[in-house]
Short mmCIF file of all heavy atoms in Angstrom, two decimals:
data_model
loop_
_atom_site.label_atom_id
_atom_site.label_comp_id
_atom_site.label_asym_id
_atom_site.label_seq_id
_atom_site.Cartn_x
_atom_site.Cartn_y
_atom_site.Cartn_z
N LEU A 1 -8.55 -69.90 25.86
CA LEU A 1 -8.19 -70.46 24.56
C LEU A 1 -7.23 -69.51 23.87
O LEU A 1 -7.42 -68.29 23.88
CB LEU A 1 -9.44 -70.64 23.69
CG LEU A 1 -10.53 -71.55 24.25
CD1 LEU A 1 -11.72 -71.60 23.29
CD2 LEU A 1 -10.00 -72.96 24.48
N ALA A 2 -6.20 -70.10 23.26
CA ALA A 2 -5.22 -69.31 22.52
C ALA A 2 -5.04 -69.94 21.16
O ALA A 2 -4.56 -71.08 21.06
CB ALA A 2 -3.90 -69.25 23.27
N ASP A 3 -5.47 -69.23 20.13
CA ASP A 3 -5.33 -69.78 18.79
C ASP A 3 -4.13 -69.16 18.08
O ASP A 3 -3.74 -68.03 18.35
CB ASP A 3 -6.62 -69.61 17.95
CG ASP A 3 -7.38 -68.35 18.24
OD1 ASP A 3 -6.72 -67.31 18.46
OD2 ASP A 3 -8.63 -68.40 18.26
N SER A 4 -3.58 -69.94 17.16
CA SER A 4 -2.37 -69.53 16.46
C SER A 4 -2.27 -70.28 15.14
O SER A 4 -3.05 -71.20 14.88
CB SER A 4 -1.13 -69.82 17.32
OG SER A 4 -1.04 -71.21 17.58
N GLY A 5 -1.29 -69.88 14.32
CA GLY A 5 -1.01 -70.60 13.10
C GLY A 5 -1.41 -69.89 11.82
O GLY A 5 -1.16 -70.41 10.73
N GLY A 6 -2.04 -68.75 11.95
CA GLY A 6 -2.44 -68.02 10.75
C GLY A 6 -1.25 -67.44 10.01
O GLY A 6 -0.11 -67.48 10.49
N GLY A 7 -1.52 -66.87 8.84
CA GLY A 7 -0.45 -66.27 8.07
C GLY A 7 -0.92 -65.87 6.69
O GLY A 7 -2.11 -65.95 6.37
N LEU A 8 0.03 -65.45 5.88
CA LEU A 8 -0.22 -65.06 4.49
C LEU A 8 0.24 -66.19 3.59
O LEU A 8 1.42 -66.57 3.64
CB LEU A 8 0.52 -63.76 4.18
CG LEU A 8 0.52 -63.31 2.72
CD1 LEU A 8 -0.89 -62.98 2.25
CD2 LEU A 8 1.44 -62.10 2.55
N VAL A 9 -0.67 -66.72 2.81
CA VAL A 9 -0.35 -67.83 1.92
C VAL A 9 -0.90 -67.54 0.52
O VAL A 9 -1.67 -66.60 0.32
CB VAL A 9 -0.91 -69.16 2.44
CG1 VAL A 9 -0.28 -69.53 3.79
CG2 VAL A 9 -2.43 -69.10 2.58
N GLN A 10 -0.51 -68.41 -0.42
CA GLN A 10 -0.99 -68.31 -1.79
C GLN A 10 -2.19 -69.24 -2.00
O GLN A 10 -2.40 -70.20 -1.23
CB GLN A 10 0.12 -68.70 -2.75
CG GLN A 10 1.38 -67.85 -2.63
CD GLN A 10 1.14 -66.42 -3.05
OE1 GLN A 10 0.53 -66.15 -4.07
NE2 GLN A 10 1.62 -65.47 -2.25
N VAL A 11 -2.93 -68.97 -3.04
CA VAL A 11 -4.04 -69.84 -3.41
C VAL A 11 -3.52 -71.27 -3.58
O VAL A 11 -2.50 -71.50 -4.22
CB VAL A 11 -4.70 -69.36 -4.71
CG1 VAL A 11 -5.68 -70.39 -5.24
CG2 VAL A 11 -5.41 -68.04 -4.48
N GLY A 12 -4.24 -72.22 -2.99
CA GLY A 12 -3.88 -73.61 -3.09
C GLY A 12 -2.97 -74.12 -1.98
O GLY A 12 -2.77 -75.33 -1.85
N ASP A 13 -2.43 -73.20 -1.20
CA ASP A 13 -1.56 -73.59 -0.09
C ASP A 13 -2.37 -74.18 1.06
O ASP A 13 -3.60 -74.17 1.06
CB ASP A 13 -0.75 -72.39 0.40
CG ASP A 13 0.39 -72.04 -0.52
OD1 ASP A 13 0.67 -72.82 -1.46
OD2 ASP A 13 1.01 -70.97 -0.31
N SER A 14 -1.62 -74.65 2.07
CA SER A 14 -2.21 -75.21 3.28
C SER A 14 -1.72 -74.47 4.51
O SER A 14 -0.62 -73.90 4.51
CB SER A 14 -1.86 -76.70 3.41
OG SER A 14 -2.37 -77.45 2.33
N LEU A 15 -2.54 -74.50 5.55
CA LEU A 15 -2.18 -73.97 6.85
C LEU A 15 -2.80 -74.86 7.91
O LEU A 15 -3.87 -75.45 7.67
CB LEU A 15 -2.71 -72.56 7.06
CG LEU A 15 -1.91 -71.35 6.58
CD1 LEU A 15 -2.72 -70.07 6.86
CD2 LEU A 15 -0.56 -71.28 7.26
N ARG A 16 -2.16 -74.94 9.06
CA ARG A 16 -2.77 -75.64 10.19
C ARG A 16 -2.87 -74.66 11.36
O ARG A 16 -1.85 -74.14 11.84
CB ARG A 16 -1.98 -76.87 10.62
CG ARG A 16 -2.74 -77.68 11.68
CD ARG A 16 -2.04 -78.95 12.07
NE ARG A 16 -0.96 -78.72 13.01
CZ ARG A 16 -0.43 -79.66 13.79
NH1 ARG A 16 -0.90 -80.91 13.73
NH2 ARG A 16 0.57 -79.38 14.60
N LEU A 17 -4.09 -74.43 11.79
CA LEU A 17 -4.34 -73.59 12.96
C LEU A 17 -4.38 -74.47 14.20
O LEU A 17 -4.83 -75.62 14.15
CB LEU A 17 -5.66 -72.84 12.81
CG LEU A 17 -5.83 -72.01 11.55
CD1 LEU A 17 -7.17 -71.26 11.60
CD2 LEU A 17 -4.69 -71.04 11.36
N SER A 18 -3.91 -73.90 15.30
CA SER A 18 -3.93 -74.61 16.57
C SER A 18 -4.66 -73.79 17.61
O SER A 18 -4.62 -72.55 17.59
CB SER A 18 -2.50 -74.88 17.07
OG SER A 18 -1.79 -75.69 16.17
N CYS A 19 -5.29 -74.47 18.53
CA CYS A 19 -5.99 -73.81 19.64
C CYS A 19 -5.59 -74.53 20.91
O CYS A 19 -5.88 -75.72 21.07
CB CYS A 19 -7.49 -73.89 19.43
SG CYS A 19 -8.47 -73.24 20.79
N ALA A 20 -4.92 -73.80 21.80
CA ALA A 20 -4.47 -74.38 23.06
C ALA A 20 -5.41 -73.95 24.18
O ALA A 20 -5.69 -72.76 24.34
CB ALA A 20 -3.06 -73.91 23.36
N ALA A 21 -5.88 -74.93 24.93
CA ALA A 21 -6.80 -74.65 26.04
C ALA A 21 -6.06 -74.76 27.37
O ALA A 21 -5.20 -75.62 27.55
CB ALA A 21 -7.96 -75.64 26.02
N SER A 22 -6.41 -73.89 28.29
CA SER A 22 -5.83 -73.94 29.63
C SER A 22 -6.87 -73.49 30.64
O SER A 22 -7.91 -72.93 30.28
CB SER A 22 -4.60 -73.03 29.71
OG SER A 22 -4.94 -71.69 29.46
N GLY A 23 -6.60 -73.75 31.88
CA GLY A 23 -7.49 -73.30 32.94
C GLY A 23 -8.30 -74.40 33.57
O GLY A 23 -8.53 -74.41 34.77
N ARG A 24 -8.76 -75.32 32.78
CA ARG A 24 -9.44 -76.51 33.28
C ARG A 24 -9.49 -77.52 32.14
O ARG A 24 -9.42 -77.13 30.99
CB ARG A 24 -10.85 -76.20 33.78
CG ARG A 24 -11.79 -75.64 32.75
CD ARG A 24 -13.18 -75.37 33.30
NE ARG A 24 -14.05 -76.52 33.16
CZ ARG A 24 -15.37 -76.45 33.25
NH1 ARG A 24 -15.96 -75.31 33.51
NH2 ARG A 24 -16.12 -77.53 33.12
N PRO A 25 -9.63 -78.79 32.45
CA PRO A 25 -9.67 -79.79 31.38
C PRO A 25 -10.81 -79.53 30.42
O PRO A 25 -11.93 -79.21 30.84
CB PRO A 25 -9.87 -81.11 32.15
CG PRO A 25 -9.36 -80.84 33.51
CD PRO A 25 -9.68 -79.38 33.79
N PHE A 26 -10.53 -79.63 29.15
CA PHE A 26 -11.59 -79.35 28.17
C PHE A 26 -12.07 -80.62 27.48
O PHE A 26 -12.66 -80.58 26.44
CB PHE A 26 -11.09 -78.30 27.17
CG PHE A 26 -10.31 -78.84 26.00
CD1 PHE A 26 -10.57 -78.37 24.72
CD2 PHE A 26 -9.32 -79.81 26.15
CE1 PHE A 26 -9.86 -78.84 23.63
CE2 PHE A 26 -8.61 -80.27 25.07
CZ PHE A 26 -8.88 -79.79 23.79
N THR A 27 -11.80 -81.76 28.11
CA THR A 27 -12.18 -83.02 27.49
C THR A 27 -13.68 -83.16 27.30
O THR A 27 -14.12 -83.93 26.47
CB THR A 27 -11.65 -84.20 28.32
OG1 THR A 27 -12.08 -84.04 29.67
CG2 THR A 27 -10.14 -84.26 28.27
N SER A 28 -14.48 -82.42 28.07
CA SER A 28 -15.93 -82.50 27.92
C SER A 28 -16.48 -81.33 27.11
O SER A 28 -17.68 -81.05 27.14
CB SER A 28 -16.61 -82.55 29.29
OG SER A 28 -16.34 -81.36 30.01
N PHE A 29 -15.63 -80.63 26.40
CA PHE A 29 -16.04 -79.48 25.61
C PHE A 29 -16.18 -79.83 24.14
O PHE A 29 -15.29 -80.48 23.56
CB PHE A 29 -15.00 -78.36 25.75
CG PHE A 29 -15.17 -77.51 26.97
CD1 PHE A 29 -15.12 -78.07 28.23
CD2 PHE A 29 -15.38 -76.15 26.86
CE1 PHE A 29 -15.29 -77.29 29.37
CE2 PHE A 29 -15.54 -75.36 27.98
CZ PHE A 29 -15.49 -75.93 29.23
N ASP A 30 -17.27 -79.40 23.53
CA ASP A 30 -17.32 -79.33 22.08
C ASP A 30 -16.45 -78.15 21.66
O ASP A 30 -16.51 -77.08 22.27
CB ASP A 30 -18.74 -79.07 21.58
CG ASP A 30 -19.67 -80.24 21.81
OD1 ASP A 30 -19.18 -81.38 21.98
OD2 ASP A 30 -20.90 -80.02 21.81
N MET A 31 -15.65 -78.35 20.63
CA MET A 31 -14.77 -77.30 20.14
C MET A 31 -15.13 -76.96 18.71
O MET A 31 -15.57 -77.83 17.94
CB MET A 31 -13.31 -77.75 20.23
CG MET A 31 -12.83 -78.02 21.64
SD MET A 31 -12.92 -76.58 22.72
CE MET A 31 -11.70 -75.51 21.94
N ALA A 32 -14.92 -75.71 18.35
CA ALA A 32 -15.31 -75.25 17.03
C ALA A 32 -14.35 -74.18 16.53
O ALA A 32 -13.61 -73.57 17.32
CB ALA A 32 -16.73 -74.70 17.06
N TRP A 33 -14.39 -73.99 15.24
CA TRP A 33 -13.69 -72.88 14.59
C TRP A 33 -14.72 -72.02 13.86
O TRP A 33 -15.61 -72.57 13.17
CB TRP A 33 -12.65 -73.38 13.60
CG TRP A 33 -11.45 -73.99 14.25
CD1 TRP A 33 -11.26 -75.32 14.52
CD2 TRP A 33 -10.27 -73.31 14.69
NE1 TRP A 33 -10.04 -75.49 15.12
CE2 TRP A 33 -9.41 -74.28 15.23
CE3 TRP A 33 -9.85 -71.98 14.69
CZ2 TRP A 33 -8.15 -73.97 15.77
CZ3 TRP A 33 -8.61 -71.67 15.21
CH2 TRP A 33 -7.77 -72.65 15.74
#
């Protein structure tokens, strides 16, 4: 798993984090943050 998308933001702003999976299909995986 490789997560990305973090940063420095101001109060009230938005961010979208992403998590890329590789190695085997993760369609049967529960995913969490």
